[in-house]
Amino acid sequence: MIRVLFLFWYGVGLILMLTIGVPKALSFSNGMFLVLFAVYAASIEGKLGERATVRWRRIALVGLLTFGIEWAGVQTGWPFGEYAYTSVLGFKVGGVPFTIACAWVGVLLTAILLARGRSKWGRALQAGMWTVFFDLVLDPVAYARQFWIWQGEGGYYGVPASNFISWFLISASLSLFFPVRDVPVPVYREAVRLTQLMLLMFGLLGLKEGLYVPMQVALAGALVAEGVLRYDSSSKKQMV
């Protein structure tokens, strides 16, 4: 059910954003999309069979920690850089939208599912790299569409290098809370498809804003994920 709801919200929202824009009456939908993204990513991770209470406590911890880091970032400029959130993503606490924790949960869970490291440290390296890959598409588009505003000039489409370094370190560190588990091909495939959908959405929005490099990064990320999926599927077939 959550998959159907997410895809419906995704499809309608993307069409609106690429054409007439999101009507004022539906302004809440931006934040709601991030909630659905997090819940859908959590539902995919839940297919690995861990007890629900254990999973959701860990997810709640990730949400609280990332919200706290974002709050510190808005108040002090550390560790990401100087930035401020607008009202686009909904209700804010201490200058940070509640839904930004959902965005972190969604991105982190999909990155962990995509990472193929056999140890926690190997997986942490890959998870950090996947989140940076995603943010290279997300951040310049979100800035261009005024989800949040970066202070100062330079960097990658106005986004400072400290932001991407922080994304890598935070995601890699938080991934250590999760056990290393074998991800069956059907679960991995669904995580890949979710990642590809998110990259495609922000890549297309980037094109609309005249941001061509983020679209190229989105396509590269989608192709890399697809290649790993096909290799993984082929390897497991040969082992049977």
Side-chain angles (χ1 to χ4, degrees):
M1 185 63 184
I2 183 59
R3 181 174 183 270
V4 173
L5 183 57
F6 171 82
L7 291 175
F8 171 77
W9 211 277
Y10 174 97
V12 173
L14 182 57
I15 291 170
L16 287 174
M17 287 188 289
L18 290 175
T19 54
I20 63 173
V22 178
K24 199 167 185 180
L26 297 177
S27 59
F28 69 92
S29 62
N30 295 304
M32 182 58 69
F33 176 74
L34 296 180
V35 175
L36 292 174
F37 172 43
V39 175
Y40 182 32
S43 74
I44 298 174
E45 196 234 358
K47 294 179 181 180
L48 298 181
E50 192 175 27
R51 216 158 33 110
T53 52
V54 175
R55 287 194 312 106
W56 283 107
R57 283 174 187 166
R58 186 189 298 123
I59 289 171
L61 176 61
V62 167
L64 287 171
L65 288 174
T66 52
F67 186 88
I69 294 169
E70 290 281 353
W71 179 84
V74 167
Q75 302 300 321
T76 68
W78 185 88
F80 305 104
E82 297 284 345
Y83 68 107
Y85 283 101
T86 66
S87 60
V88 174
L89 298 180
F91 177 72
K92 292 186 288 185
V93 177
V96 181
F98 160 76
T99 53
I100 207 65
C102 296
W104 269 101
V105 167
V107 171
L108 181 64
L109 289 181
T110 51
I112 289 172
L113 289 170
L114 262 59
R116 309 310 281 161
R118 297 293 181 180
S119 67
K120 278 194 174 185
W121 293 106
R123 188 193 57 187
L125 176 63
Q126 291 187 35
M129 292 173 65
W130 273 113
T131 57
V132 171
F133 220 137
F134 185 79
D135 195 43
L136 286 168
V137 183
L138 163 66
D139 229 295
V141 176
Y143 181 22
R145 297 183 68 86
Q146 299 290 277
F147 289 8
W148 51 80
I149 300 171
W150 288 100
Q151 309 298 326
E153 301 292 335
Y156 172 72
Y157 290 105
V159 184
S162 57
N163 177 68
F164 302 108
I165 295 170
S166 298
W167 268 66
F168 175 84
L169 293 175
I170 292 167
S171 299
S173 299
L174 290 176
S175 75
L176 298 175
F177 289 131
F178 293 76
V180 176
R181 296 159 291 187
D182 182 55
V183 180
V185 171
V187 177
Y188 188 72
R189 181 180 295 112
E190 194 169 4
V192 166
R193 297 293 175 250
L194 175 56
T195 300
Q196 290 170 330
L197 283 173
M198 296 297 287
L199 289 172
L200 175 64
M201 180 180 73
F202 282 102
L204 289 174
L205 291 175
L207 275 184
K208 186 180 179 183
E209 300 292 337
L211 308 177
Y212 300 107
V213 173
M215 183 64 199
Q216 294 171 354
V217 175
L219 290 174
L223 288 173
V224 169
E226 187 67 25
V228 176
L229 170 62
R230 290 175 182 266
Y231 175 81
D232 200 55
S233 300
S234 176
S235 298
K236 290 190 175 180
K237 281 181 181 178
Q238 292 176 8
M239 292 173 63
V240 175

